[in-house]
Structures are given as C-alpha cells and as structure tokens.
Amino acid sequence: MSLSNPSQVLLRNSELLVAKLPLLVNLPEDGFIDAYIDLHKPDKISCFNNNFIDYQAITTKHCSTSTDNIVQTTFASTYQTTTCHDVVIIAFPKSKAELNFTLAMLAHCIDETTKILLVGEKKGGIQSAVKLTQHTLSCCQKVDAARHCMLFAGLFKPEKLSAVFDLQAWFTKYQITVDGVTLTIASLPGVFSQQKLDVGTELLLANLPSSITGKVLDFGCGAGVISCFIGKKFNDVQLSLLDVSALALTSAQESLALNSLSGQVFASNSLSDVNEKYQYVVSNPPFHQGVKTHYQASESFLMGIKDKLNKKGCITIVANSFLRYQDIMQAHIGYTQVIIKDKGFTIYQAQLSSK
C-alpha cells in the first residue's frame, strides 16, 4: 500500500518522530507503521483507532502473526493505558469538535515533555489547528506544509495534564418527538447528526413499515436514533445496532439507556461481523468517509444484505435522491419500491418473498 500524503509529510519530518513509546491516533494502515519502526526502532508502538476498518487493517497487518508484539492496537471510543507516551501523532479528525475530545482523553497518558503532532489534509480543515487547541496546547505551531497537507507540533499546557477526563461531559443530549414518540438522544463529538435530528432520518422514521416485529438491524446506527424510535414504538422487537465508529457505538449505547431500551451494539466493516439473520433492516446508510465522498460501504451493504434477511424479510432505507441505490437494491435484493421522495431524500423498500 502506498503511503498517504499525511504519512509522507510525517516521514519527511523524521526528527520530530523520535520516541520509545509513541502513540498513533486514528492513523490508517498505509505503510507508515513499518516505516516508523525501521527508522526509530521504538520499544512499543501503540495504535488507537475509533474507526473499526482502520483498526482491523492495522491488527491484521501487525498483530496477527507478530511474535515480538511491538505494535499494540486499540479500538474504542476512549483511550485507556498505564503507558506514558513520549510522542503522540494525531490524524486531524473530519469533525473539528472531535479534536479537543481526543486531546482531553490523552491527558492521563502524557507529560509536559510529550510532543503532540497533528497532521492532515488542508481541505480537511487542519489550518484551524492552532485556534482549536489554544486552550489545551502551548507552542502549537505549523512545522511543515507539503502535498496539500500540514503538520503542527505542540505541548500540553501543564495545568491541562491533571484534568480528569469525564466521558459523560462530552455527550450532547437532545430530545426529539416524531410521530408521537419522544426520545432523548446522546451523541459524542464526531458522530453524525450530533446536535439534532437530520432531515433524512426524520423522513425515514415517518415512513417505516406499519408493523415491525422480531430481529431488527440498524445499519450505520450513529447515535441510535432509528433503533430507539423502533424500540419505543414497537413492543416485540430485538434491536441490533451496527456502526464502524466506536464514538457512534458508545453514543448508541447511551441513547438506548436513556430511553430504557436494550440492544446488541457492535462494530462491523459493512457486513463483515453480521452473523445473524433479521426480519427488518432499517438504515440511513453513510456515504461519507473522511473528507471524500465514499459509497463503497453502503453499496457492499446493499449487495450483501439479502443473505442476512429472513424469509419475508424487509429492508427500508433513506438516501439522498441523487444516489442510485434503487438500481443496486433491484439487482441484489429484488423488487424495490420508492415509498416517498421529499426534501432531497428518497425512501426505498424491498421485501423478500416467502419462497
């Protein structure tokens, strides 16, 4: 795999990367880890990812057959360790609100000498790094700009190192009422539709099947709005919530608890970890990854979901009307009807026959 532009910028500033116990936050598997190990021979390199796809890729490459355990991987919404890291390299998040959340959760595992490096593409908004971190980092400054990317370096303000990280304080909580059902939703920074109900999901909730029973899969669950609505409106359901983001999964768990509901919440790369069959699948499938428009996960979901449906199983999704999901569903699931088109979104539904 070829090195991404941010990784190339990091490696051309090799002198900043020298460390015995570095931590890489949300970096992809693109060859950078191998290059880092060759250059600096760290005692241990810790990789924290809140994206399941990146976590899987790093774990498969570096941990499945490794006997020396130099690379340690973590998939979670927050990072916990007893290690004190001497360098932390953070991939600038697509949600700016996520950056200070990330920094806050790292205070327990660094000290006043730990270099904090922020790297990302210019179009991802990294130019705002100094302003965004002004209350957390001191001496944060741009050290390089190349390949449409920027690299910033700084140190934690000493008084911020003693701050205790409280996950609850980072949830945005809001109430919504749809079709007579009132819900409380909790969402962490970086989770889709963090502060209000989005238009597409609202349209979906108003156009679900009139009766839902049995096992329900919420694909790309985000903060759990769809599952909470179904769990409140329909009595006889067993909820399963899937997302690629640990931040989304933690938010969904919190939303379920706030609404006195329960469900199976799990990570999956599209359908990679889906091992059951469902009577209903409901989704506002994601089509953005990073700063680029990305359809692959949603398309592979629609191509493979038929095998995860029971007889007479039903799938209902909402999508931006410009997306050609009806053709994919027709080809891979069966007859697909348009339920409604409104406000730039379309609701599609397909139901399997009993054969």
Side-chain angles (χ1 to χ4, degrees):
M1 186 178 291
S2 60
L3 285 165
S4 64
N5 286 337
S7 291
Q8 291 179 48
V9 171
L10 284 168
L11 290 172
R12 65 182 242 148
N13 291 274
S14 178
E15 71 285 353
L16 291 176
L17 309 183
V18 177
K20 289 297 182 184
L21 297 168
L23 170 64
L24 312 184
V25 178
N26 289 326
L27 268 65
E29 170 45 53
D30 64 352
F32 174 78
I33 296 171
D34 283 331
Y36 190 104
I37 293 171
D38 289 342
L39 274 172
H40 297 302
K41 313 272 187 299
D43 294 340
K44 180 176 72 174
I45 186 164
S46 301
C47 300
F48 170 84
N49 292 86
N50 58 32
N51 180 290
F52 188 65
I53 298 174
D54 293 331
Y55 162 77
Q56 267 193 327
I58 294 170
T59 301
T60 301
K61 172 77 183 292
H62 298 281
C63 303
S64 299
T65 58
S66 175
T67 56
D68 48 23
N69 293 321
I70 290 177
V71 179
Q72 295 191 351
T73 58
T74 301
F75 171 74
S77 55
T78 59
Y79 181 63
Q80 301 294 325
T81 186
T82 56
T83 299
C84 183
H85 297 287
D86 40 1
V87 163
V88 177
I89 303 171
I90 301 172
F92 192 82
K94 65 178 180 179
S95 164
K96 292 180 181 180
E98 191 182 326
L99 179 59
N100 281 307
F101 172 87
T102 300
L103 291 170
M105 77 174 183
L106 296 177
H108 75 283
C109 64
I110 60 175
D111 62 26
E112 63 276 4
T113 67
T114 303
K115 285 197 293 272
I116 308 295
L117 303 177
L118 306 173
V119 66
E121 297 184 8
K122 289 181 182 177
K123 62 184 178 181
I126 193 170
Q127 296 97 319
S128 59
V130 174
K131 183 177 180 181
L132 287 171
T133 61
Q134 60 183 325
H135 300 300
T136 307
L137 301 183
S138 59
C139 314
C140 183
Q141 55 189 310
K142 183 178 72 175
V143 293
D144 198 6
R147 297 176 174 83
H148 308 291
C149 298
M150 299 175 81
L151 175 64
F152 289 81
L155 300 171
F156 250 69
K157 291 185 175 182
E159 66 271 20
K160 293 295 183 180
L161 291 169
S162 58
V164 176
F165 180 76
D166 177 13
L167 179 64
Q168 280 294 325
W170 290 90
F171 283 108
T172 295
K173 296 178 182 177
Y174 58 95
Q175 277 202 334
I176 61 171
T177 300
V178 179
D179 197 23
V181 176
T182 298
L183 304 170
T184 301
I185 303 301
S187 188
L188 289 171
V191 176
F192 174 68
S193 193
Q194 194 210 350
Q195 299 186 343
K196 62 181 181 179
L197 179 63
D198 64 285
V199 175
T201 299
E202 185 172 14
L203 187 67
L204 176 65
L205 297 182
N207 290 277
L208 290 174
S210 57
S211 175
I212 295 179
T213 58
K215 290 183 178 180
V216 179
L217 176 65
D218 180 354
F219 179 89
C221 64
V225 175
I226 295 170
S227 284
C228 287
F229 179 84
I230 290 172
K232 280 289 190 183
K233 183 166 185 179
F234 303 102
N235 294 324
D236 186 21
V237 292
Q238 295 87 54
L239 301 169
S240 292
L241 295 77
L242 170 168
D243 208 284
V244 74
S245 162
L247 295 169
L249 297 174
T250 298
S251 301
Q253 285 276 30
E254 185 72 10
S255 294
L256 287 170
L258 287 170
N259 293 286
S260 302
L261 297 167
S262 62
Q264 178 195 17
V265 179
F266 64 102
S268 184
N269 174 1
S270 189
L271 296 172
S272 68
D273 286 57
V274 177
N275 300 313
E276 297 186 45
K277 291 201 171 189
Y278 299 90
Q279 197 60 40
Y280 290 89
V281 175
V282 185
S283 181
N284 181 354
F287 68 94
H288 280 90
Q289 186 169 17
V291 294
K292 299 175 182 175
T293 303
H294 188 86
Y295 310 99
Q296 185 178 337
S298 297
E299 291 186 0
S300 62
F301 152 64
L302 294 173
M303 291 175 184
I305 194 61
K306 184 176 181 179
D307 291 337
K308 307 297 182 182
L309 286 169
N310 289 328
K311 289 180 180 178
K312 293 190 177 180
C314 176
I315 174 172
T316 308
I317 72 165
V318 62
N320 290 71
S321 294
F322 67 82
L323 297 171
R324 304 285 295 174
Y325 286 168
Q326 186 176 19
D327 295 343
I328 296 172
M329 292 175 71
Q330 290 268 169
H332 295 276
I333 303 170
Y335 172 68
T336 301
Q337 59 179 321
V338 172
I339 302 297
I340 190 174
K341 285 189 176 186
D342 192 23
K343 299 176 182 175
F345 292 89
T346 302
I347 307 294
Y348 300 108
Q349 187 169 292
Q351 182 163 7
L352 300 186
S353 68
S354 58
K355 294 179 182 179

